[in-house]
Amino acid sequence: MAIVYHPTGSYPHDHWSLHSQSVDDDHFIGHVSVDSLLYTIYANPTDCTCLRIIVALTDLNDMRSALNRAYTPAEDAGLTFTASSIRMRLQEQLGVIVQILILGNNAHWLDAQGRVNVGHDKEPGFLHAHLLFRGDPTRIYAGTEPLRGPALGVAFPMQANERHSWSSAHLYKFIADMRRCLCGLLVDLESARLRCHKSFYFVRHGETDYNSQGRIQGHIESSLTERGVLQAQAAADLMRNHRLTPSMIYSSSLQRAMRTAEILRSTSNIPITFYDGLREQNAGDLEGQPRQAIDPDVLASLKDGLDKKGRVNGAETFHCFMNRVCYTVGRILSEQNQEENGPPPLLVSHGGVFRALLRLTSQGVFESDNAVLWRFDPPAASAAAEWTLTRVDQDS
């Protein structure tokens, strides 16, 4: 009898499981990369007993793809390797025993037909492990408060009713202590830049209704204007005139980018893959508002991470957005079996993603007009130079 997996498409974009492993979360410690897989390390959000850490398989492009499914031996092995590496580091530096528990979660249940189901509306099944600190319950090993929990030799009660919440000071210090202990093991996706040195083309979508009205779009859907369609057609003509045939087209899953990608493909058979990770930065409460009506410092907090006016309610922070773009584009390029003289892929996305790529490739930051074709080329393997950015036009 087959296992039934709850459809991940039923989770709305604001479901906790799609964001609990975000760098914006107060409990976030860091990422560990194992080959092409990524694992998030974070403090247990609901209980600081035994300073419990969670390690979970993560997909920054689309977290749904990491939920409610069977996992490969490589993914299982990556989880074990990550948890074991953390355990060794913490035992050496803090003098505690670190126990690894790979138990799954409580999102498993039997339906009326007696079939095992994984995941439900409130909680999905996901690949993760718990790491428990075991030592003197009265001693402070990390953070600002004692370890608590049972004495050595006594099993940790995973289903215990008594839980200890994190205080702000304890959590802040604990996260800092963990990052210090795990330095060198954790990866900073943004500061790592684009490690996969392969060329690619980029096109921002054609003009939309909101573009013409001067409104913030973010994740709100806005159709291409007549001018936007003509812009995309002109970009498609430019590609034909230059005999540019990308190996693949990767598009944001927002309609304005998807429509532009379809026009760019025109009559060719180039496959298009749609990625949530190429979406525009989520602007939260600012979406739909006229730009002129928004405090410039608030926009700077969102677009540049300057935090002059604090976080915009419901918005994706600058650093979280940068990490998402870096991870998604790095993954796309690493999957490309690009021959030395083979055609690069084409990315169809948004103005915010373009600015993020400029930062990730050490370019000066500026805005791209709608439907302009750009080419990013990595430095030579033996050179210390930066990436090269070229605008492709009729004269180039």
Side-chain angles (χ1 to χ4, degrees), residues 85-120:
S85 299
I86 295 172
R87 177 185 62 186
M88 291 179 62
R89 184 73 66 86
L90 295 180
Q91 288 184 171
E92 291 173 355
Q93 298 200 24
L94 300 179
V96 293
I97 296 296
V98 179
Q99 291 184 327
I100 300 174
L101 302 177
I102 302 179
L103 302 174
N105 56 7
N106 298 320
H108 307 148
W109 51 283
L110 290 176
D111 60 20
Q113 289 76 40
R115 298 175 301 180
V116 173
N117 283 247
V118 175
H120 46 68

Side-chain angles (χ1 to χ4, degrees), residues 267-283:
T267 59
S268 69
N269 294 320
I270 305 171
I272 303 178
T273 301
F274 302 107
Y275 269 81
D276 283 353
L278 290 176
R279 285 178 168 230
E280 180 60 282
Q281 183 179 11
N282 187 330

Side-chain angles (χ1 to χ4, degrees), residues 100 115 128 133 143 174 249 265 366:
I100 300 174
R115 298 175 301 180
H128 68 287
F133 289 43
F174 177 72
I249 297 177
R265 179 173 64 174
F366 60 92

Side-chain angles (χ1 to χ4, degrees), residues 91-297:
Q91 288 184 171
E92 291 173 355
Q93 298 200 24
L94 300 179
V96 293
I97 296 296
V98 179
Q99 291 184 327
I100 300 174
L101 302 177
I102 302 179
L103 302 174
N105 56 7
N106 298 320
H108 307 148
W109 51 283
L110 290 176
D111 60 20
Q113 289 76 40
R115 298 175 301 180
V116 173
N117 283 247
V118 175
H120 46 68
D121 286 339
K122 292 184 177 180
E123 182 176 12
F126 60 102
L127 183 64
H128 68 287
H130 295 259
L131 278 67
L132 309 174
F133 289 43
R134 304 302 303 274
D136 180 353
T138 65
R139 179 179 169 185
I140 298 176
Y141 290 94
T144 62
E145 298 178 15
L147 181 62
R148 298 193 179 94
L152 288 173
V154 178
F156 181 85
M158 293 294 292
Q159 300 298 328
N161 293 324
E162 182 181 359
R163 294 178 179 271
H164 299 278
S165 299
W166 295 92
S167 67
S168 297
H170 186 26
L171 178 61
Y172 181 84
K173 179 65 163 52
F174 177 72
I175 298 299
D177 288 342
M178 291 302 96
R179 289 175 177 170
R180 173 180 53 79
C181 291
L182 301 176
C183 181
L185 181 62
L186 303 177
V187 296
D188 184 342
L189 296 177
E190 179 186 338
S191 65
R193 307 301 180 190
L194 289 180
R195 298 190 208 178
C196 192
H197 283 190
K198 294 181 180 178
S199 300
F200 62 94
Y201 291 103
F202 181 94
V203 171
R204 180 189 173 198
H205 62 78
E207 182 192 69
T208 66
D209 292 328
Y210 269 27
N211 286 152
S212 65
Q213 297 167 15
R215 295 181 181 273
I216 299 289
Q217 292 184 106
H219 284 191
I220 287 182
E221 296 289 8
S222 180
S223 300
L224 296 187
T225 62
E226 181 178 349
R227 181 186 181 198
V229 171
L230 293 175
Q231 289 172 335
Q233 290 173 344
D237 292 340
L238 178 65
M239 292 173 61
R240 278 193 295 272
N241 292 339
H242 282 271
R243 292 185 171 85
L244 300 180
T245 305
S247 57
M248 285 277 293
I249 297 177
Y250 297 91
S251 169
S252 156
S253 56
L254 291 171
Q255 290 294 328
R256 56 189 183 272
M258 295 170 65
R259 175 68 177 128
T260 302
E262 291 166 354
I263 295 173
L264 292 173
R265 179 173 64 174
S266 59
T267 59
S268 69
N269 294 320
I270 305 171
I272 303 178
T273 301
F274 302 107
Y275 269 81
D276 283 353
L278 290 176
R279 285 178 168 230
E280 180 60 282
Q281 183 179 11
N282 187 330
D285 288 350
L286 298 183
E287 293 186 354
Q289 295 189 33
R291 286 181 178 271
Q292 292 184 343
I294 301 172
D295 185 329
D297 286 344

